[in-house]
Amino acid sequence: MRPSATLCLTIGNRPAQLRQTLASLLGHAAFDEVIAVNDFGDEPTNSVFRELCPSGTLVVQDRQMGHHIAADAMYERIKTPYVFHCEDDWVFETAPDLPGAQALLQDSRASMVCFRAVEDVLHDKPLHFKPARHEFNGQKTWRLDHLHKQWHGFTFNPHFSALSLWKELGGFSRYAAEKDISAAIRAQGRVVVYADPGACRHIGDGVSVSGTNRKSLSKHVKAWIRSKRDRA
């Protein structure tokens, strides 16, 4: 049985890639709800989302808040126990195994199940960077946490996780960068497990918008304080 999950997407400034992401993913999987947040506010991207997800929820903010704050604004609206987190620059070539991912989360070491193919993760890494086989209750997966002490506890790459993980973290806005979220989860002894086979690959090379959304830590904190005050 398909687990009760919300598809959450961070989108913006990449309407063509978003169209490919949604068309490929929704052609393979169904979700209870779909929520997206566009921290850049561009109308071409919003139009693609409304076209392909007419019953979805688009979170609109009156100003750019930064990635983590925007993601928190989206997660605050989730009502399902599970989340399928995605961005707007992926193509899904096979169906993500959501029931299998739900079962894998019963492993106390698993923080989430990532559906990015491990060969796509490692495509530009040195040859000695090899994934490690991991098995739980007969399900075979890959792990990469042996390759780095800080990463591979968390990723914003397409993944399936329990909403409780976000609540345990106290939201993403507490952390300056994705690596800090990952380090906090690694400190708990938990890691990302990668589905085998993977279901998607990255199509955002050369069209990243992260550079236009970078903030100093002080600006990030000020934006977080403003967002909390506005919601109060």
Side-chain angles (χ1 to χ4, degrees):
M1 181 180 295
R2 177 177 63 83
S4 177
T6 297
L7 170 60
C8 287
L9 302 118
T10 52
I11 64 177
N13 283 343
R14 293 186 287 208
Q17 286 75 22
L18 175 62
R19 181 177 296 279
Q20 191 170 359
T21 299
L22 286 173
S24 62
L25 176 55
L26 297 179
H28 287 301
F31 303 91
D32 291 35
E33 296 182 69
V34 181
I35 306 175
V37 61
N38 183 351
D39 194 39
F40 301 91
D42 65 296
E43 189 52 37
T45 297
N46 291 344
S47 295
V48 170
F49 178 78
R50 293 188 181 106
E51 175 192 343
L52 297 183
C53 300
S55 61
T57 298
L58 179 61
V59 180
V60 178
Q61 304 178 120
D62 59 2
R63 60 179 177 270
Q64 190 175 22
M65 303 300 295
H67 181 264
H68 290 184
I69 296 173
D72 280 346
M74 176 171 59
Y75 272 62
E76 288 172 354
R77 291 164 167 80
I78 299 174
K79 300 176 182 178
T80 58
Y82 294 100
V83 182
F84 190 100
H85 185 97
C86 196
E87 300 155 306
D88 57 1
D89 55 351
W90 299 89
V91 61
F92 287 80
E93 298 169 329
T94 60
D97 180 5
L98 302 186
Q102 182 184 30
L104 284 169
L105 290 182
Q106 302 308 307
D107 182 350
S108 61
R109 293 165 292 181
S111 59
M112 58 185 54
V113 179
C114 184
F115 286 100
R116 184 179 185 179
V118 290
E119 58 268 26
D120 193 60
V121 180
L122 300 175
H123 78 281
D124 60 349
K125 301 294 189 295
L127 291 178
H128 66 272
F129 277 59
K130 301 291 185 182
R133 176 60 75 187
H134 175 63
E135 186 170 329
F136 178 74
N137 285 349
Q139 284 188 262
K140 293 182 178 180
T141 63
W142 297 106
R143 279 174 49 174
L144 302 176
D145 48 287
H146 61 289
L147 299 177
H148 199 282
K149 293 182 179 180
Q150 188 175 34
W151 285 105
H152 307 300
F154 177 89
T155 179
F156 281 120
N157 286 182
H159 69 259
F160 183 87
S161 65
L163 179 61
S164 58
L165 177 67
W166 173 75
K167 293 180 178 179
E168 291 167 11
L169 287 167
F172 301 130
S173 304
R174 294 181 57 204
Y175 304 88
E178 182 177 346
K179 64 181 180 180
D180 300 313
I181 304 175
S182 181
I185 294 176
R186 287 294 300 272
Q188 300 173 1
R190 303 168 73 185
V191 298
V192 176
V193 295
Y194 288 80
D196 182 26
C200 62
R201 59 181 174 83
H202 190 227
I203 57 171
D205 289 344
V207 289
S208 174
V209 295
S210 60
T212 64
N213 198 29
R214 241 173 236 148
K215 292 173 177 279
S216 68
L217 180 58
S218 62
K219 289 183 178 179
H220 176 89
V221 172
K222 289 177 182 177
W224 177 78
I225 293 172
R226 286 197 305 269
S227 72
K228 292 297 182 183
R229 183 178 60 239
D230 292 348
R231 290 182 212 145

